[in-house]
Amino acid sequence: MLRLSSRNLALRSSRAPPKHHMASRSVNSSAPRTSQQQTSESYVSDPLAGNMLRFQASLPRLPVPPLSTTVRKYLDTVKPHLTDIEYTATKASAQAFLSSPQAAELQARLEARAADPSIKNWLADWWNEVAYMGYRDPVVVYVSYFYVHIDDQRRRDPAKRAAGLIRAMLPFRHLVESKELEPDKAKGTPLCMESYKWLFHSSRYPVKPSDKAKKFDPVVHNHVVFVRKNRFFEVPLATVEGRELSAAELEVQIERVIRLAGNDSSVPVGALTSENRDTWADARETLLAASPLNAESLERIESAAIVVCLDDTKPVTREDISWACWVGDGRNRFYDKHQLIVFDNGRSGFLGEHSCMDGTPTLRFNEFMLASLAAGKVDLGPPRTTSTGASLPQPTELKFELDARCKTYVCEACKHFDELVGKHDMEVLHYEGYGKEMIKKFKMLPDTWVQLVKQLAFHKMFNRPGVTYESCQTRKYQLGRTEVIRSASSESKAWAEAMLDPNETDQNRSVLFRQAAARHLQYVTWAIEGEGVDRHLFGLKKMLREGEPIPDLFSEPAYGKTNHWELSTSQLSSKFIDGWGYGEVVSDGYGLSYSIGDHYIRWTITSLKRGTRELKHYLAEAATETRFMLERAAAVREKADGGKTRL
C-alpha cells in the first residue's frame, strides 16, 4: 500500500538512478520479540511534548547494519533469481566490494551520518526526496493508495453517509491536533508519531525539482472542502460561535452542495493534480497568474481539514468501487490531499496522499471513524428537524477564473489521465476458502503463509520466483518509515518447485513449506530491526561523492534485476476495510495488496494488463492447494504415529 514505498523507488530506478506505498503494514505484532526490543515502560516519557509525542525523544535511531551482514543477506536473497554462473559472478563482485577500501569508507561515512546529533534518522531526508517529493510521475497511479470502507446500511444516502464520516472524523482530528492521541505501539514498543501532523489541514505542492508539503493552522482553517461535479465548495466545521456542526447540520450543508453543483459538470481544475509533477507545477503557476481568485480558492482547498469527493456514481462490485476509490474519473478529485470519497449509493472510501505518511496512521484514522459509527459512539448531535441548518450560511463555492492556457492544461491533464488509467486493469480476489483462523491451526503466521502462496502462484504463472517487495514499517525508530522484506528466497523456491512436481510427496512439501516460512520470518525480524538489505545499500550509494566511481556491486545486472520489484506487496487488515490497493511499481509487475480476515484472504491485483485475471486464478488455486497439501501431510503423520499428531 502502502507499499507503499517500493513503487516509487522502483519506478525511479527503472527510469533514472535512485513507495510503494502504501500503505505499509506493520508486521511487528506477528514477529517474535528480540533482545533489542523494549517495552514502552523502558522509554523516557516527556510530558512537555504532549501525550502523542511523549516518547519521541527517547525513540532509538535507525541503525546502520554491519556491512558484512548486509552483503551476506544480499547474496542470500539474490540467489533464487540467478543462474549458477550469474550467482558466481555476483558473489565475486560482492566479496570484492566487501574487502575494498571504498566500501569501508562508505560505511564509515554512513555511520558518521547516523551518529550526527543534528540528524534524527540517516535515511529519512534521502528517502522522502527520492521516493516521494522528488518523484515526478503522477501520484495516481504510482503513489496514492485507497481503502474501501465497509458498507453502512443505516446511511445509504450520500449526504447522510458523508455527514456521519465527518462527524466521526472530528474527535480524531482533535486528538491529533491537540497531541492527545495515544501513541501507536507494537508489542509494547512505542512507534514514531511525527507523521500524524500531516493527516489533517495539509497539502502537497508541485515544485521543481522537488515537491513541498505545507501544514496549516487548524484553528484558522476550520473547514472542509467538498467536490461535486468537478466544483469545489467550502463548508465551515463550526458556527461563528465556535460550536461544531452536528451530523444533521452537516447533512443539510452537503445536500446544499449537491443542489448547487447541479447536473452539469464544470471545468475540472482538480484534474491538474493528476498530472506529471513538473507539468502540474507549470500549470499551477499559470493558474495563479490568471487571476488572484485562483490563489484564494487553491489555498482554501489546500488548507481544509480534508477533501470530501461526492461522486455521482453508484459502484457495486468490488472491482468497480476499488477503481472508483483508487482513481475515480480523474476530475472530481484533488490528489494532493487525503480524500474521503462518498458515492451516490452511500458507499464510501479513502484515498491516501502518500508523500508524508504511510498506511498505518491513515488506517488507524479510518478505523476510528468506521468503528465509532458502527458502535454508535459518535456524538452526532441533535436529530434533524425542519429548521435544522436554517441559520447556517450557504456553502461557499471556490471558483476559478481560467484563461485559454489554463483550459489547455486542464484538457491535457484529462487526456493524460485517461490514457494512463486506460492502460491498467484491476482484479479483486475475495478468497473465502479459509482465513487466519485456519492458518493458525497449522501454527503458522498468516502473513508468512500468504506470502508463500503468492510465490507459488507466481511460479505457476512464470515458472520462476517473483522478485518481491513486502513493505515493513520501521516506526520504532525516530522518523522511521519502511524497509523491504525480500519475501522470495531459495527456500520458497524449493517449496514452490516441489508443489509443481507431480512426483514429490506431500510430506516433503510440508517440510519445505515450513523451512520457507522460517526463512521469511527471519527476514521479517531483520527488516523490523532496520537490518534489511535495501535501505542500507541505498544509503551506501548515497554516500558516494561527486567524481567517485560507482562500485561494481551496484552496476552489475544482478543488482538491477533483484531491485526490479515484480510483486509489490503489502498487508493492511481490518474488519472495517472492505478492500484496499495501489498500482504496480514496474511496467512488467503487479501491485498486490492483501488483507487477511478470520475466514477470508483478499487480494487486490493491479497491472498494465499483464494477465491480471490469470494471476487472480493462480492465487486462488495456490491458496487451495497449499491447504490441502498440509492437511494431507498431517493426515499421513497422524496415521503413522497412531493419531498423536495434530495440525
Side-chain angles (χ1 to χ4, degrees):
M1 109 81 320
L2 139 135
R3 166 200 157 120
L4 298 157
S5 310
S6 68
R7 63 167 153 285
N8 306 336
L9 183 59
L11 283 164
R12 284 182 66 83
S13 62
S14 66
R15 295 171 183 145
K19 95 311 203 281
H20 80 359
H21 310 93
M22 81 125 286
S24 61
R25 71 175 186 89
S26 167
V27 297
N28 299 47
S29 59
S30 62
R33 181 179 297 279
T34 71
S35 59
Q36 297 182 36
Q37 286 180 310
Q38 300 169 278
T39 64
S40 60
E41 289 75 16
S42 63
Y43 287 81
V44 178
S45 180
D46 180 3
L48 298 179
N51 188 58
M52 186 174 78
L53 302 176
R54 70 182 188 273
F55 296 122
Q56 288 299 117
S58 62
L59 292 178
R61 290 168 174 263
L62 183 70
V64 176
L67 186 57
S68 60
T69 61
T70 295
V71 171
R72 174 179 55 80
K73 294 170 187 174
Y74 171 72
L75 289 174
D76 286 345
T77 58
V78 302
K79 190 172 184 179
H81 305 291
L82 305 178
T83 65
D84 290 342
I85 294 176
E86 290 172 333
Y87 180 73
T88 299
T90 298
K91 185 176 181 179
S93 175
Q95 290 174 339
F97 171 71
L98 182 60
S99 61
S100 69
Q102 185 185 31
E105 174 63 21
L106 295 176
Q107 178 76 358
R109 292 175 189 173
L110 190 57
E111 289 173 349
R113 176 180 171 87
D116 186 338
S118 67
I119 300 176
K120 293 183 179 180
N121 183 309
W122 63 260
L123 174 65
D125 289 343
W126 288 340
W127 187 250
N128 292 346
E129 167 67 18
V130 170
Y132 297 105
M133 294 306 190
Y135 181 70
R136 309 320 289 163
D137 276 349
V139 292
V140 173
V141 300
Y142 297 118
V143 181
S144 302
Y145 60 95
F146 71 89
Y147 304 142
V148 176
H149 293 161
I150 59 166
D151 200 9
D152 186 344
Q153 296 185 6
R154 295 170 298 179
R155 295 175 175 86
R156 295 293 193 184
D157 177 80
K160 191 177 185 68
R161 177 57 162 166
L165 289 171
I166 295 169
R167 188 66 189 180
M169 174 193 80
L170 294 178
F172 197 81
R173 183 186 66 153
H174 171 75
L175 290 171
V176 170
E177 298 297 345
S178 65
K179 298 181 175 58
E180 295 175 12
L181 185 69
E182 180 64 19
D184 294 333
K185 295 186 180 73
K187 293 279 188 177
T189 300
L191 303 181
C192 183
M193 299 293 287
E194 286 280 357
S195 67
Y196 271 83
K197 74 177 182 181
W198 300 107
L199 190 53
F200 303 107
H201 301 281
S202 68
S203 184
R204 177 174 177 164
Y205 287 80
V207 180
K208 295 181 182 180
S210 182
D211 284 5
K212 307 296 182 184
K214 182 176 180 180
K215 170 74 177 184
F216 292 85
D217 185 342
V219 176
V220 177
H221 303 280
N222 189 23
H223 64 279
V224 68
V225 166
F226 295 94
V227 198
R228 176 74 173 187
K229 294 290 186 178
N230 311 334
R231 297 167 65 179
F232 296 88
F233 297 87
E234 176 183 341
V235 172
L237 290 168
T239 64
V240 293
E241 295 80 18
R243 177 183 58 80
E244 286 186 344
L245 268 60
S246 67
E249 289 172 323
L250 286 166
E251 185 179 339
V252 168
Q253 292 291 63
I254 296 166
E255 289 173 350
R256 289 172 176 173
V257 165
I258 294 173
R259 285 196 301 271
L260 288 169
N263 296 320
D264 297 326
S265 297
S266 180
V267 177
V269 175
L272 295 172
T273 62
S274 73
E275 266 284 18
N276 169 281
R277 302 307 293 179
D278 286 345
T279 304
W280 171 209
D282 291 338
R284 193 173 191 276
E285 290 301 315
T286 301
L287 195 62
L288 295 175
S291 170
L293 178 65
N294 297 340
E296 296 173 10
S297 294
L298 281 174
E299 182 170 290
R300 300 311 293 168
I301 295 169
E302 292 154 352
S303 62
I306 201 167
V307 167
V308 182
C309 307
L310 301 171
D311 281 14
D312 59 358
T313 59
K314 298 180 179 181
V316 175
T317 67
R318 292 188 181 277
E319 284 79 8
D320 285 349
I321 195 167
S322 293
W323 267 108
C325 289
W326 182 30
V327 297
D329 64 357
R331 280 85 169 159
N332 202 58
R333 296 287 186 272
F334 196 85
Y335 294 117
D336 284 358
K337 287 178 65 70
H338 296 310
Q339 298 172 94
L340 290 170
I341 305 165
V342 179
F343 303 96
D344 267 359
N345 57 356
R347 296 300 308 274
S348 64
F350 173 86
L351 185 68
E353 201 296 291
H354 201 0
S355 62
C356 293
M357 64 193 316
D358 297 312
T360 45
T362 58
L363 179 64
R364 183 177 178 183
F365 161 51
N366 278 268
E367 282 189 311
F368 181 95
M369 287 189 299
L370 299 169
S372 299
L373 287 168
K377 293 185 177 180
V378 179
D379 179 9
L380 299 174
R384 186 168 178 173
T385 67
T386 54
S387 62
T388 296
S391 62
L392 295 176
Q394 290 286 312
T396 302
E397 182 169 6
L398 304 175
K399 297 183 178 181
F400 293 91
E401 294 179 353
L402 307 177
D403 59 19
R405 287 188 64 201
C406 291
K407 291 178 180 178
T408 297
Y409 271 120
V410 171
C411 183
E412 290 179 348
C414 294
K415 177 185 176 183
H416 296 160
F417 174 88
D418 292 342
E419 290 173 349
L420 177 61
V421 172
K423 295 175 182 177
H424 286 78
D425 60 4
M426 171 192 284
E427 294 287 338
V428 180
L429 171 61
H430 189 76
Y431 178 82
E432 295 181 329
Y434 56 84
K436 64 183 178 184
E437 285 195 2
M438 192 283 296
I439 293 172
K440 288 179 178 179
K441 292 179 180 178
F442 286 94
K443 303 187 186 306
M444 290 286 298
L445 293 176
D447 180 75
T448 294
W449 178 296
V450 173
Q451 283 290 333
L452 292 176
V453 165
K454 292 178 184 179
Q455 288 299 316
L456 177 55
F458 197 90
H459 271 80
K460 283 173 169 286
M461 193 164 176
F462 296 103
N463 200 33
R464 62 176 178 82
V467 180
T468 307
Y469 182 119
E470 180 183 1
S471 185
C472 169
Q473 72 173 2
T474 54
R475 286 175 54 214
K476 66 178 287 184
Y477 299 107
Q478 292 190 42
L479 302 184
R481 292 198 65 166
T482 60
E483 175 60 280
V484 184
I485 301 169
R486 291 189 165 208
S487 298
S489 64
S490 296
E491 290 82 359
S492 68
K493 179 182 179 181
W495 169 69
E497 290 175 344
M499 289 293 291
L500 298 178
D501 181 356
N503 299 315
E504 188 57 85
T505 66
D506 287 326
Q507 288 69 35
N508 193 44
R509 290 169 177 158
S510 175
V511 170
L512 292 172
F513 181 77
R514 293 191 179 277
Q515 290 175 349
R519 180 66 179 82
H520 178 262
L521 181 57
Q522 183 183 50
Y523 208 105
V524 167
T525 304
W526 288 335
I528 289 170
E529 297 299 328
E531 296 174 357
V533 166
D534 292 272
R535 303 298 188 257
H536 186 195
L537 292 182
F538 171 77
L540 292 173
K541 195 172 182 182
K542 289 291 290 184
M543 294 311 308
L544 286 167
R545 294 170 181 166
E546 187 176 354
E548 291 183 336
I550 298 176
D552 291 342
L553 177 73
F554 297 111
S555 57
E556 64 167 358
Y559 181 79
K561 182 177 183 179
T562 57
N563 280 278
H564 187 76
W565 306 115
E566 298 171 299
L567 294 176
S568 180
T569 75
S570 185
Q571 182 204 154
L572 287 173
S573 297
S574 169
K575 65 180 182 179
F576 298 103
I577 300 298
D578 200 29
W580 82 285
Y582 45 78
E584 78 292 336
V585 307
V586 294
S587 60
D588 57 347
Y590 303 86
L592 207 56
S593 63
Y594 59 106
S595 301
I596 309 172
D598 289 341
H599 304 291
Y600 69 84
I601 307 169
R602 184 173 53 243
W603 288 276
T604 300
I605 317 158
T606 59
S607 80
L608 285 165
K609 299 186 177 179
R610 297 188 61 86
T612 313
R613 291 182 64 191
E614 287 79 0
L615 183 54
K616 174 182 178 179
H617 167 81
Y618 285 125
L619 282 167
E621 194 172 73
T624 299
E625 290 177 3
T626 299
R627 173 186 181 174
F628 288 163
M629 176 274 296
L630 289 171
E631 288 178 342
R632 291 193 300 267
V636 171
R637 290 196 303 273
E638 184 176 6
K639 183 176 180 180
D641 66 5
K644 297 179 181 179
T645 299
R646 294 184 178 180
L647 293 180

